[in-house]
Amino acid sequence: MSQELYFQQLNRDLKKQGTGLPQLIIDRQCLQQNIQYIQLQFRQAVHLQPRLVVKSLACLELLQLLSEQLSTQRFMVFHLPQLIPLLENFSEADVLFGKPMPVHAVQHFYQHYSQWENARIQWLVDTPARLHQYLEVAQQYAVQLQINIEIDVGLHRGGIRTEQQMAEMMGVVQAHPQHLKFRGLMGYDAHVTKLPSIIKKAQVAYEESQQIYAGFIDYLQRTYPELWHDQLCLNGGGSPSFSFHVKHSVCNDLSFGSMLVKPGDFDNDFLRPLQTAMWIATPVIKELPLTRLPGMPLLEKIPQKSKALFVYGGYWMADYVYPQGSHPHVLYGRSSNQELVNVPRHAQTGVDDYVFLRPTQSEAVIPQFAVLWLYKDRQFEAWQTFRE
């Protein structure tokens, strides 16, 4: 089915079953095709365990579906409130924080959720100073924190860079076995596919990041053999570098999330096999034959190729995709209440029809909607999202 016919059918189904409000939609068929692609990659990369990035898939039902089909209860969390639903709904949850939590957030967790003090949570630590903060929390609440150390593999967004820093942190862990347990390393390499090729080709950037990672692994194996074992979590990746890791990686734990629904920011050659599975649909509330700009009546005399639609909401991190050629007006400006969208004059879309947008990312868009609508067999099923 062509994209035009697809959106025409989706528009008809929404007019019959929709809410009359902006809706975030997951296409089940496209999602399933993406899942099958990822399943195939992991069958060929038996050294890797999948880890789902919660911020990019912030919906419990979606995570439950993916967890079952990808046979994993490994999750990466970036926002503390999203941790609790995982612990409550996944009995084998293994959670790795993707960024260091402020020490007060860690204190808050152990103060208010003491029932989860023995959960499998890897707290990410990026500096010796933060490790000392976490040690104080562990001593205060008489718990043992599982520690994962962030290493800088070339992104330069923090994390340790030297063996000296590693030695300082491992010394603290060794000195306090009752309160700290070393669980592994995390090295995020999103820069691999983001660097312009004129500066460095992606394959070269990936190989360099892997060399850095391998250097820390070698150092730990040589220097701390008593703390090294096969169950350590050596996490890396992310959607941008997924295709590199499944071919060869020194890691054993691979994080990804956004690529499963493939928003616009993930259009690149490395993720080409995947399909867009997420759309925003918003109804048209007003239609004008042309764009009228306040204080500029003379412009109305200039022939215009577009008509003006005002939609319910707007200004999302998303691009208009249907009707084809739709776009905000550069002079009228953006609005998150009633956005002006120019569409070709011949477009059949009018009042009460829906226009469609493709999110540029999922992590900021999903929490803006209370409900994510699963679109399957021309029917809609409501899934609650994580609003924070």
Side-chain angles (χ1 to χ4, degrees):
M1 181 186 296
S2 70
Q3 188 175 68
E4 182 174 6
L5 291 176
Y6 171 81
F7 285 122
Q8 288 175 351
Q9 184 62 63
L10 184 52
N11 178 54
R12 289 192 291 269
D13 293 338
L14 282 167
K15 291 174 73 173
K16 290 179 181 178
Q17 308 168 47
T19 62
L21 305 174
Q23 293 181 229
L24 185 63
I25 296 171
I26 289 279
D27 185 293
R28 182 67 171 87
Q29 182 177 353
C30 293
L31 176 65
Q32 188 60 43
Q33 291 179 7
N34 291 345
I35 293 171
Q36 291 171 349
Y37 171 78
I38 290 169
Q39 288 172 329
L40 176 62
Q41 301 307 304
F42 277 103
R43 282 198 290 269
Q44 298 172 348
V46 295
H47 63 292
L48 287 171
Q49 292 289 334
R51 186 176 295 274
L52 297 169
V53 178
V54 175
K55 68 177 174 60
S56 304
L57 306 162
C59 167
L60 180 60
E61 287 92 340
L62 178 58
L63 290 167
Q64 289 173 326
L65 171 68
L66 297 170
S67 171
E68 179 181 349
Q69 295 214 14
L70 297 175
S71 301
T72 186
Q73 290 195 29
R74 298 181 180 220
F75 302 98
M76 177 172 279
V77 170
F78 288 80
H79 187 40
L80 192 63
Q82 295 180 353
L83 171 63
I84 305 306
L86 298 178
L87 299 179
E88 291 175 342
N89 290 278
F90 295 94
S91 59
E92 302 297 321
D94 180 300
V95 178
L96 169 62
F97 272 92
K99 64 185 176 189
M101 288 291 103
V103 65
H104 295 105
V106 183
Q107 289 175 326
H108 178 85
F109 175 78
Y110 285 104
Q111 179 180 354
H112 294 279
Y113 300 100
S114 58
Q115 70 270 34
W116 301 114
E117 66 179 32
N118 295 318
R120 287 183 287 185
I121 303 170
Q122 300 180 54
W123 299 96
L124 191 68
V125 177
D126 58 331
T127 63
R130 195 181 304 275
L131 181 59
H132 282 288
Q133 287 183 321
Y134 281 18
L135 173 59
E136 292 179 2
V137 173
Q139 292 170 335
Q140 178 183 358
Y141 292 97
V143 296
Q144 184 190 57
L145 297 189
Q146 301 176 46
I147 299 300
N148 190 296
I149 297 177
E150 181 179 9
I151 58 176
D152 182 359
V153 294
L155 182 61
H156 303 328
R157 194 175 64 180
I160 66 171
R161 303 185 65 182
T162 67
E163 293 180 356
Q164 181 180 356
Q165 291 173 310
M166 178 71 77
E168 183 178 350
M169 297 175 78
M170 295 300 289
V172 175
V173 172
Q174 283 185 311
H176 300 88
Q178 181 179 354
H179 295 110
L180 299 175
K181 180 179 181 180
F182 177 62
R183 278 293 308 277
L185 304 174
M186 191 282 281
Y188 185 46
D189 54 18
H191 66 287
V192 165
T193 59
K194 301 293 186 181
L195 285 170
S197 59
I198 194 173
I199 296 177
K200 187 168 292 183
K201 294 187 180 300
Q203 183 64 44
V204 174
Y206 178 70
E207 291 171 357
E208 290 179 352
S209 72
Q210 286 281 285
Q211 290 171 1
I212 295 171
Y213 209 130
F216 280 111
I217 291 175
D218 179 68
Y219 173 76
L220 289 170
Q221 289 176 326
R222 288 185 290 104
T223 312
Y224 304 97
E226 68 281 6
L227 295 180
W228 188 266
H229 54 85
D230 291 339
Q231 300 306 310
L232 290 177
C233 173
L234 305 177
N235 175 266
S239 293
S241 59
F242 177 90
S243 62
F244 290 94
H245 282 274
V246 293
K247 293 176 183 175
H248 172 73
S249 180
V250 300
C251 303
N252 60 17
D253 189 273
L254 179 56
S255 298
F256 58 96
S258 299
M259 58 186 281
L260 282 155
V261 295
K262 200 180 183 184
D265 284 353
F266 293 81
D267 276 343
N268 60 55
D269 291 340
F270 309 106
L271 299 177
R272 190 178 297 277
L274 297 167
Q275 299 187 45
T276 298
M278 177 179 288
W279 310 102
I280 296 173
T282 188
V284 178
I285 53 179
K286 300 173 184 176
E287 179 182 8
L288 300 178
L290 74 167
T291 301
R292 296 187 172 96
L293 297 175
M296 304 177 70
L298 291 179
L299 291 182
E300 297 177 20
K301 301 183 182 301
I302 300 175
Q304 298 185 23
K305 298 180 180 180
S306 302
K307 60 180 178 179
L309 305 179
F310 288 88
V311 300
Y312 194 135
Y315 218 162
W316 294 284
M317 296 183 69
D319 297 316
Y320 289 91
V321 293
Y322 187 82
Q324 187 174 0
S326 303
H327 58 85
H329 194 284
V330 65
L331 294 180
Y332 199 93
R334 306 300 302 269
S335 171
S336 56
N337 173 38
Q338 298 181 63
E339 183 150 73
L340 168 62
V341 184
N342 281 137
V343 302
R345 294 182 66 88
H346 59 77
Q348 298 300 308
T349 303
V351 173
D352 294 333
D353 285 316
Y354 286 77
V355 299
F356 297 92
L357 303 91
R358 182 189 182 192
T360 56
Q361 59 167 257
S362 58
E363 62 191 71
V365 172
I366 292 178
Q368 290 183 287
F369 293 82
V371 175
L372 187 158
W373 293 91
L374 184 72
Y375 182 54
K376 179 182 178 182
D377 299 328
R378 297 182 55 188
Q379 300 294 316
F380 297 92
E381 179 182 348
W383 286 356
Q384 300 299 310
T385 66
F386 299 153
R387 294 305 304 275
E388 285 195 291

